[in-house]
Amino acid sequence: MNTLKQQGIDVIDSDLGERIVQMADEPPSHIVLPCIHWKKEEIGELFHKHLGTPEGNADPQFLTNAARIHLREKFLTRRVALTGVNFAIAETGEFVVCTNEGNADMGAHLADVHIACMGIEKIIPKRKQLGVFLRLLARSATGQPVTTYSSHFRKPRKGTELHVVIVDNGRSRQLGRADFRNSLKCIRCAACFNTCPVYRRSGGHSYHTAIAGPIGSILAPNLDMKQYADLPFASTLCGSCSNVCPVKIDIHEQLYKWRQVLVQEGHAPTSKKVAMKGMTTVLSNPSVYRLSGAVGRWFIKNIPFVVNNKLNPWFKQREMPEAPKESFRDWYKKNKISKK
Amino acid sequence: MSSRDSILATVKKNQPEAKPLPVIENFIPFAGDNISKFREVLTAIGGDAVDANSIEDVVKHLQTNFPMQSVSLLYRIYFTAMRCTITQPANRINWKM
């Protein structure tokens, strides 16, 4: 989209959520619910500024109608429609676009030219398998039995054009990575986003990539290891993403494997490497572990400013804990009931 | 080598092991009333289902609800509908235009 904009082409998102974040000049924060991070009052304010709706009106129904009127004018006057592709069927040569708002249909049916962009992994063998995917997608994305609109395109209407752009963008390379190729099964339902304890706290923008969430964290390093080296580390590896994935991608295992690849390829920052090596020494030597515990407790108790300062990233927005009087080990030794 | 050829060559080279297509036996078609279920889900996600018995009903609904922008749209909808066969379950209508 940015490339088209640079060429002086006006690009208008027609999905309501996408349109909202586009008006606000920010990227979407979720692949199914792009403006999940916005409050209705904020949207009311945004629409007041851009669409001239009355100030202070934050009624979702009213705002949706305002957007509908605004978008209808675009649908009726623009001559080219760009859509994505949810599934393409090898057997018939058709492709399917799923929406709940009908915006793909309005765009594609009213424009003279329909350009559909699809990743190379969207192809399924036969039409009889489509129903399985349509139901998996809607159920895992929004809990619906099927999307409101599942539109099939096979050829252009008379007098119009239909172009399909098949996008690789690193997918063929990912296909060659045996540990990571499973990520190409993704149908973009965002179930892994919704369950992820990290995504739910931090939101989509913290991932600094178009596809956020757990799946984004295993897709992005394939595009640029250096730029996205932080993402696979921002996980608790709890595995909730893998549990909910309808196409059974081993997401948390791939996060773990990406960490190893990224370190081997030299994309781990020195501070992290040093800290990890230090942790290894501490955690693998009981005497060093005990000594570090005692030193830590002593510092927190007697000269707390050593840890309670801006140089300690853990101190930002947090209070450091109070030091316990003794370690669990010391307590246990004292209180253990002897068997004798 | 064009980008197209190089992508195709990479895909060919990186093929995973072929597996037989799975047979999905427990895929049971929905047994209830499709239209009322669709209406229920559409309403739940904020949509609105409107019954129409003919293309004229559709046009009338749009004229009433979207008077300002409907002229060009109506023309297009009418034009598209003339070329389509819209089939609904037997208890509804079966248009062939």
Side-chain angles (χ1 to χ4, degrees):
Chain A
M1 188 190 288
N2 285 339
T3 315
L4 290 173
K5 267 191 198 161
Q6 279 159 17
Q7 309 261 336
I9 296 166
D10 198 15
V11 188
I12 300 139
D13 274 317
S14 62
D15 172 276
L16 178 56
E18 293 279 1
R19 187 73 188 117
I20 291 167
V21 289
Q22 191 185 30
M23 271 181 195
D25 200 21
E26 60 174 47
S29 71
H30 189 287
I31 53 174
V32 173
L33 311 158
C35 70
I36 186 81
H37 57 295
W38 278 69
K39 292 196 177 89
K40 61 181 191 238
E41 289 77 16
E42 294 168 327
I43 296 168
E45 212 170 291
L46 184 80
F47 278 18
H48 170 66
K49 193 173 143 200
H50 290 272
L51 303 181
T53 54
E55 199 168 5
N57 192 328
D59 174 40
Q61 197 68 41
F62 176 81
L63 295 175
T64 307
N65 271 331
R68 176 182 275 159
I69 291 165
H70 159 71
L71 284 170
R72 193 152 300 220
E73 186 270 328
K74 308 289 180 201
F75 283 129
L76 290 170
T77 52
R78 300 309 198 267
R79 303 278 42 95
V80 178
L82 279 167
T83 69
V85 167
N86 289 91
F87 304 104
I89 303 161
E91 179 190 32
T92 58
E94 76 199 284
F95 65 86
V96 181
V97 185
C98 302
T99 74
N100 271 335
E101 298 170 16
N103 52 314
D105 308 76
M106 285 286 274
H109 294 315
L110 292 173
D112 302 328
V113 181
H114 175 186
I115 303 170
C117 296
M118 61 173 266
I120 58 171
E121 83 284 20
K122 297 290 177 200
I123 301 175
I124 59 174
K126 291 189 173 168
R127 205 185 205 192
K128 71 174 183 191
Q129 286 129 10
L130 177 70
V132 176
F133 285 98
L134 286 178
R135 286 173 66 165
L136 276 184
L137 174 63
R139 187 173 62 181
S140 307
T142 59
Q144 293 167 244
V146 73
T147 37
T148 309
Y149 299 88
S150 305
S151 310
H152 299 237
F153 297 91
R154 203 157 168 176
K155 59 180 183 184
R157 297 188 314 280
K158 211 173 175 187
T160 65
E161 290 174 34
L162 171 59
H163 302 269
V164 180
V165 181
I166 302 176
V167 181
D168 178 27
N169 197 22
R171 288 168 175 83
S172 56
R173 183 172 59 238
Q174 187 88 323
L175 190 64
R177 301 186 202 268
D179 282 344
F180 304 117
R181 67 161 63 107
N182 246 343
S183 62
L184 296 171
K185 286 185 193 166
C186 178
I187 54 172
R188 306 289 190 263
C189 70
C192 58
F193 288 51
N194 302 337
T195 195
C196 176
V198 175
Y199 176 89
R200 288 163 67 132
R201 279 283 154 195
S202 66
H205 289 162
S206 62
Y207 290 77
H208 61 94
T209 169
I211 298 177
I215 185 68
S217 297
I218 57 170
L219 290 174
N222 174 55
L223 295 175
D224 188 336
M225 285 199 208
K226 194 174 169 215
Q227 194 183 348
Y228 300 116
D230 56 328
L231 295 181
F233 291 93
S235 164
T236 61
L237 301 182
C238 72
S240 189
C241 46
S242 307
N243 281 340
V244 298
C245 179
V247 290
K248 298 194 187 325
I249 302 171
D250 49 340
I251 305 176
H252 76 293
E253 281 160 25
Q254 292 195 31
L255 285 165
Y256 180 58
K257 286 173 186 166
W258 266 120
R259 293 181 183 186
Q260 290 153 54
V261 173
L262 290 163
V263 173
Q264 274 159 16
E265 301 275 329
H267 296 298
T270 317
S271 57
K272 181 172 270 167
K273 277 196 278 193
V274 171
M276 285 296 159
K277 278 193 179 144
M279 285 296 276
T280 308
T281 314
V282 172
L283 295 175
S284 53
N285 293 293
S287 53
V288 182
Y289 177 77
R290 284 198 289 275
L291 178 70
S292 330
V295 169
R297 282 193 297 280
W298 189 86
F299 271 101
I300 294 179
K301 205 168 151 191
N302 297 303
I303 37 172
F305 60 87
V306 176
V307 282
N308 293 353
N309 62 52
K310 280 184 194 161
L311 294 172
N312 177 6
W314 277 95
F315 183 63
K316 283 179 195 161
Q317 301 177 326
R318 287 187 196 88
E319 290 297 327
M320 295 304 281
E322 260 179 53
K325 283 187 198 113
E326 56 190 352
S327 72
F328 173 73
R329 187 174 182 276
D330 296 338
W331 176 89
Y332 186 73
K333 262 166 81 178
K334 239 190 302 179
N335 292 286
K336 186 164 69 170
I337 299 166
S338 171
K339 277 189 177 173
K340 278 177 202 167
Chain B
M1 203 187 238
S2 69
S3 69
R4 175 198 162 101
D5 291 337
S6 81
I7 291 168
L8 289 175
T10 320
V11 170
K12 215 166 207 178
K13 193 185 85 195
N14 290 338
Q15 279 300 306
E17 212 177 298
K19 283 183 191 165
L21 277 171
V23 181
I24 296 156
E25 286 159 345
N26 54 356
F27 192 66
I28 306 157
F30 180 63
D33 177 16
N34 282 320
I35 293 182
S36 59
K37 181 70 184 171
F38 184 80
R39 184 193 301 275
E40 180 195 318
V41 175
L42 184 65
T43 314
I45 61 162
D48 186 17
V50 179
D51 277 318
N53 288 312
S54 65
I55 190 69
E56 284 76 24
D57 277 3
V58 178
V59 172
K60 210 168 151 191
H61 178 80
L62 289 173
Q63 271 173 337
T64 322
N65 290 279
F66 305 99
M68 299 299 284
Q69 330 105 40
S70 52
V71 182
S72 166
L73 182 67
L74 285 177
Y75 168 74
R76 281 163 192 272
I77 286 176
Y78 207 87
F79 186 72
T80 312
M82 294 297 278
R83 293 160 167 271
C84 295
T85 305
I86 304 170
T87 313
Q88 296 205 352
N91 60 340
R92 304 277 163 149
I93 42 145
N94 194 344
W95 301 339
K96 195 150 197 175
M97 295 183 120

